[in-house]
């Protein structure tokens, strides 16, 4: 992936993981129908990601600045709620601010909620969140990663680790393409929650090759020189 200031920005996928913070919203009372609402934070502001790349000389992380995500940006995007960035597992959608996916911006980040559809994928998502097998979120977006007005780079040196700490701060996002439920997020504080669920048969969702591919994408998008 090679972006520059004159070409169309390309989609960037980020796995934003918040361990043990994804949950199901509880029903209103003991006699209330079982809740199917999944909610949480898809994007966190000013929260460094887990290490996205490391070698003997440097560690690379990134974070999202609050100014990168506005209500206008969200309302002008076509955001699909998926599992593992797979658009065939569509759970909800917000198209230009309308649809079955709700969201709001607060000081922490972008919070979302949706009613899981009564489909195999919806039931699977509820069960995996209830069990804690899925406890994080990711989002896919477009941005001019090589434009210093959109992404700034800060480098500090860690004398204990004897390597540079590189932090990319994303300050402008062009559009957001999806929020996704994932067991492998990279931002250790994002969260997803789902309320109470009936028992369903779950399946493994971890795909190490997907994670490796995202790391390679990060290196390409950031134009890291080794």
């Amino acid at each position: 992936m090679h972006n520059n200031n004159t070409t169309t920005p390309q989609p960037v996928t980020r796995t934003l993981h918040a361990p043990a913070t994804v949950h199901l919203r509880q029903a209103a009372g003991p006699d209330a129908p079982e809740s199917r609402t999944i909610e949480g934070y898809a994007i966190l502001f000013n929260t460094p990601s887990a290490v996205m790349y490391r070698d003997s000389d440097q560690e690379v992380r990134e974070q999202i600045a609050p100014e990168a995500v506005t209500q206008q940006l969200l309302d002008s995007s076509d955001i699909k709620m998926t599992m593992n960035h797979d658009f065939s597992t569509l759970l909800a959608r917000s198209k230009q601010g309308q649809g079955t996916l709700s969201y709001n911006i607060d000081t922490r980040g972008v919070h979302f909620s949706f009613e899981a559809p009564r489909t195999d994928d919806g039931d699977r998502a509820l069960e995996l969140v209830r069990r804690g097998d899925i406890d994080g979120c990711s989002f896919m977006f477009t941005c001019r990663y090589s434009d210093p007005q959109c992404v700034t780079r800060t480098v500090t040196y860690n004398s204990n680790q004897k390597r540079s700490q590189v932090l990319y701060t994303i300050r402008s996002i062009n559009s957001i393409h999806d929020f996704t439920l994932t067991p492998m997020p990279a931002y250790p504080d994002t969260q997803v929650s789902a309320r109470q669920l009936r028992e369903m048969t779950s399946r493994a969702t971890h795909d190490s090759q997907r994670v490796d591919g995202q790391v390679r994408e990060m290196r390409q998008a950031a134009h890291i020189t080794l």
Side-chain angles (χ1 to χ4, degrees), residues 176-194:
I176 294 175
H177 301 280
D178 84 348
F179 296 158
T180 200
L181 305 180
T182 174
M184 291 294 294
Y187 286 79
D189 294 313
T190 57
Q191 65 179 30
V192 179
S193 54

Side-chain angles (χ1 to χ4, degrees), residues 67-218:
E67 64 266 26
V69 183
T70 64
Q71 192 70 39
Q72 181 180 5
L73 169 67
L74 294 171
D75 291 346
S76 63
S77 295
D78 184 358
I79 307 172
K80 288 88 169 176
M81 190 79 219
T82 66
M83 285 193 291
N84 295 306
H85 300 291
D86 182 353
F87 288 139
S88 70
T89 61
L90 186 64
L91 302 173
R93 184 177 185 179
S94 175
K95 190 173 183 179
Q96 282 73 55
Q98 302 294 320
T100 53
L101 175 64
S102 299
Y103 48 75
N104 66 278
I105 302 173
D106 59 27
T107 56
R108 189 180 182 190
V110 179
H111 183 272
F112 72 88
S113 66
F114 67 93
E115 196 80 2
R118 295 188 180 278
T119 62
D120 289 344
D121 289 327
D123 290 340
R124 184 180 302 115
L126 284 170
E127 177 66 2
L128 291 174
V129 171
R130 184 191 68 80
R131 286 162 47 111
D133 295 340
I134 286 182
D135 62 353
C137 282
S138 298
F139 74 110
M140 183 183 292
F141 62 95
T142 55
C143 127
R144 298 187 184 280
Y145 218 103
S146 62
D147 185 344
Q149 298 297 315
C150 298
V151 181
T152 57
R153 182 174 183 267
T154 303
V155 181
T156 58
Y157 185 74
N158 187 317
S159 57
N160 293 328
Q161 297 183 5
K162 297 183 178 179
R163 61 163 62 100
S164 296
Q165 307 292 314
V166 181
L167 178 65
Y168 288 92
T169 300
I170 297 175
R171 302 189 179 279
S172 177
I173 291 175
N174 292 75
S175 61
I176 294 175
H177 301 280
D178 84 348
F179 296 158
T180 200
L181 305 180
T182 174
M184 291 294 294
Y187 286 79
D189 294 313
T190 57
Q191 65 179 30
V192 179
S193 54
R195 305 177 180 178
Q196 290 177 322
L197 305 173
R198 62 188 182 190
E199 291 187 1
M200 301 292 298
T201 301
S202 67
R203 66 180 182 183
T205 56
H206 174 64
D207 183 352
S208 61
Q209 290 184 347
R210 183 187 300 275
V211 177
D212 291 342
Q214 291 183 358
V215 172
R216 289 194 297 270
E217 180 186 74
M218 170 61 187

